């Protein structure tokens, strides 16, 4: 018999906002579960309800109907202090408080346990130190929060959630204000924390590529007020991603797991060569308006990797050594 790993479950959950005259429903019929030791990516178009779902699961706003059970207890009936010991939340708000050290902000995560005075006991300090080390902030503990980069501040907020020592961590757009290296690092850190600590971690994000690579499961919200759940690969292969993100201006490409912008393609060209330069040359040629046919035999364009040096051969002309030079040649030729 498989042991139940669910920490948080919803049944027939409806989320949204109560207005004076009527409720605005954002999503409904949500039967979801968060399990120990997994990272879930919450994806969907703007306005599909990702932030509303995060806030509802964190009990920051009430569900319109349905139930949320946290370790078999109804979250709506739990005292606030008990919820704070079970769910920690990291929102997108930027930190604007000065004269506060990294250590002190992370230590705020212990507030559900320290009482009114906020005095840290030995156990509290040990947990704070563990949280600091887990996200790699040991050398920053005495630094003022406002003197950190955006990526470092986001790590501080994750460390504070870890110091809160909850089985569930909810993050709303944790990579929103970060550059690419920091986005990759934060997502990699969250996956490692979920697997190493056994916590259930849910992150909403627009980083589709990162979420597909790092998430154990994906919750995919659409504009029809419902949600699909599954492994990233299943949701790609069964066409769910294509349906949710379908637009007139671009398509979701199953082969690459990325979006392909629609171009006015009125020219045809054959391409052959080595795998890596062929892939990137195809992207450039499609952007130039070509329908590219990759062939095994000698194509009109050959993209070659000659011992680490990229070379493009076009018909009887001299080889070129960059994509930009290839594009310039084709523009002149046509």
């Amino acid at each position: 018999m498989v042991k139940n790993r669910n920490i948080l479950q919803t049944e027939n959950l409806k989320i949204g906002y109560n207005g004076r005259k009527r409720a605005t429903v954002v999503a409904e019929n949500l039967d979801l579960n968060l399990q120990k030791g997994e990272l879930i990516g919450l994806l969907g178009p703007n306005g599909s309800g990702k932030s509303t779902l995060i806030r509802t699961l964190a009990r920051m706003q009430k569900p319109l109907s349905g139930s949320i059970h946290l370790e078999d207890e109804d979250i709506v009936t739990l005292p606030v202090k008990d919820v704070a010991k079970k769910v920690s939340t990291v929102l997108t708000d930027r930190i604007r408080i000065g004269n506060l050290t990294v250590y002190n902000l992370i230590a705020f995560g212990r507030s559900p346990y320290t009482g009114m005075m906020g005095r840290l006991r030995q156990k509290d300090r040990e947990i704070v130190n563990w949280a600091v080390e887990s996200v790699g902030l040991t050398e920053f503990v005495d630094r003022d929060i406002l003197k950190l980069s955006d990526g470092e501040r986001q790590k501080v907020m994750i460390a504070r959630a870890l110091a809160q020592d909850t089985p569930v961590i909810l993050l709303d757009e944790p990579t929103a204000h970060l550059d690419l290296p920091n986005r990759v690092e934060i997502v990699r850190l969250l996956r490692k924390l979920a697997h190493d600590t056994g916590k259930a971690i849910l992150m909403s994000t627009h980083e589709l590529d990162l979420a597909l690579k790092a998430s154990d499961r994906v919750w995919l919200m659409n504009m029809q007020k419902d949600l699909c759940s599954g492994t990233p690969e299943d949701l790609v292969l069964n066409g769910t991603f294509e349906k949710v993100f379908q637009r007139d201006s671009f398509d979701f490409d199953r082969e690459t797991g990325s979006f392909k912008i629609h171009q006015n393609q009125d020219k045809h060209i054959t391409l052959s060569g080595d795998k890596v330069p062929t892939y990137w040359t195809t992207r450039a040629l499609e952007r130039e308006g070509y329908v590219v046919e990759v062939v095994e035999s000698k194509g009109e364009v050959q993209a070659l990797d000659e011992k680490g040096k990229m070379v493009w051969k076009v018909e009887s002309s001299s080889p070129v050594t960059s994509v930009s030079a290839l594009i310039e040649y084709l523009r002149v030729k046509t």
Side-chain angles (χ1 to χ4, degrees):
M1 182 176 180
V2 178
K3 186 177 180 180
N4 183 18
R5 297 173 58 232
N6 293 338
I7 296 178
L8 184 149
Q9 283 183 289
T10 73
E11 184 175 350
N12 200 28
L13 181 66
K14 181 187 292 186
I15 61 174
Y17 302 90
N18 280 309
R20 291 184 178 181
K21 295 183 178 180
R22 63 176 182 175
T24 300
V25 177
V26 174
E28 56 189 338
N29 303 318
L30 304 180
D31 295 319
L32 308 170
N33 65 76
L34 282 173
Q35 298 183 348
K36 298 177 182 178
E38 71 172 353
L39 173 65
I40 292 184
L42 176 58
L43 306 176
N46 285 336
S48 59
K50 298 185 298 296
S51 294
T52 304
L53 179 57
I54 291 278
R55 295 177 67 86
T56 304
L57 295 179
R59 217 185 79 168
M60 292 179 175
Q61 66 185 68
K62 293 182 178 180
L64 297 179
S65 63
S67 64
I68 304 171
H69 281 85
L70 184 59
E71 294 185 327
D72 297 324
E73 295 185 89
D74 190 335
I75 196 172
V76 174
T77 63
L78 283 174
V80 173
K81 189 172 183 179
D82 289 352
V83 174
K85 292 179 179 179
K86 295 178 181 291
V87 180
S88 53
T89 308
V90 179
L91 302 178
T92 54
D93 302 334
R94 287 178 179 260
I95 305 170
R96 303 187 184 279
I97 303 173
N99 298 318
L100 188 66
T101 66
V102 167
Y103 186 90
N104 288 338
L105 181 53
I106 294 173
F108 281 155
R110 298 303 301 160
S111 58
Y113 310 91
T114 57
M116 294 290 292
M117 301 301 293
R119 187 172 299 166
L120 298 178
R121 298 162 297 175
Q122 180 61 29
K123 179 182 178 181
D124 297 314
R125 287 192 289 271
E126 290 174 357
I127 292 175
V128 171
N129 290 336
W130 166 77
V132 169
E133 293 171 4
S134 294
V135 300
L137 287 172
T138 303
E139 62 182 292
F140 298 97
V141 288
D142 296 322
R143 192 172 298 184
D144 189 295
I145 289 294
L146 295 184
K147 294 182 179 179
L148 300 180
S149 68
D150 284 340
E152 290 162 350
R153 291 182 198 177
Q154 195 61 279
K155 286 185 180 180
V156 172
M157 299 310 293
I158 293 171
R160 188 182 73 167
L162 285 177
Q164 200 170 325
D165 197 22
T166 59
V168 176
I169 300 178
L170 309 175
L171 305 102
D172 191 12
E173 294 287 347
T175 61
H177 307 297
L178 308 182
D179 59 15
L180 179 59
N182 277 300
R183 293 201 300 268
V184 173
E185 187 175 358
I186 290 296
V187 173
R188 180 177 176 274
L189 172 63
L190 292 174
R191 178 175 174 80
K192 184 176 187 298
L193 289 171
H195 291 190
D196 289 354
T197 67
K199 297 180 185 297
I201 300 180
L202 172 69
M203 66 165 184
S204 70
T205 180
H206 287 292
E207 304 294 337
L208 179 62
D209 184 56
L210 287 177
L212 288 176
K213 290 177 179 177
S215 301
D216 298 297
R217 285 191 294 144
V218 164
W219 291 357
L220 186 56
M221 302 187 76
N222 59 35
M223 303 304 289
Q224 286 71 51
K225 302 181 180 180
D226 56 22
L227 180 153
C228 296
S229 175
T231 61
E233 293 77 16
D234 283 334
L235 294 178
V236 169
L237 292 173
N238 66 21
T240 302
F241 267 96
E242 291 178 73
K243 293 177 182 177
V244 170
F245 292 105
Q246 189 173 26
R247 297 291 186 278
D248 291 336
S249 56
F250 59 80
D251 288 319
F252 178 77
D253 187 348
R254 291 194 205 183
E255 291 187 12
T256 63
S258 60
F259 291 103
K260 182 178 291 186
I261 299 173
H262 292 172
Q263 307 284 354
N264 293 322
Q265 296 173 313
D266 54 3
K267 297 169 285 187
H268 185 277
I269 197 166
T270 57
L271 173 66
S272 62
D274 298 309
K275 184 176 181 180
V276 173
T278 294
Y279 171 77
W280 289 101
T281 304
T282 298
R283 286 174 50 130
L285 291 173
E286 288 177 342
R287 190 170 61 246
E288 279 293 300
Y290 285 92
V291 176
V292 180
E293 181 185 357
V294 178
V295 296
E296 293 185 6
S297 57
K298 185 177 179 180
E300 295 170 77
V301 174
Q302 299 174 68
L304 306 173
D305 183 348
E306 298 184 346
K307 297 182 180 180
K309 183 179 180 181
M310 303 300 172
V311 174
W312 287 261
K313 297 180 180 179
V314 190
E315 300 170 337
S316 59
S317 66
S318 299
V320 296
T321 57
S322 68
V323 174
S324 60
L326 171 66
I327 296 300
E328 186 61 30
Y329 172 84
L330 293 174
R331 286 175 179 173
V332 172
K333 177 187 172 185
T334 57

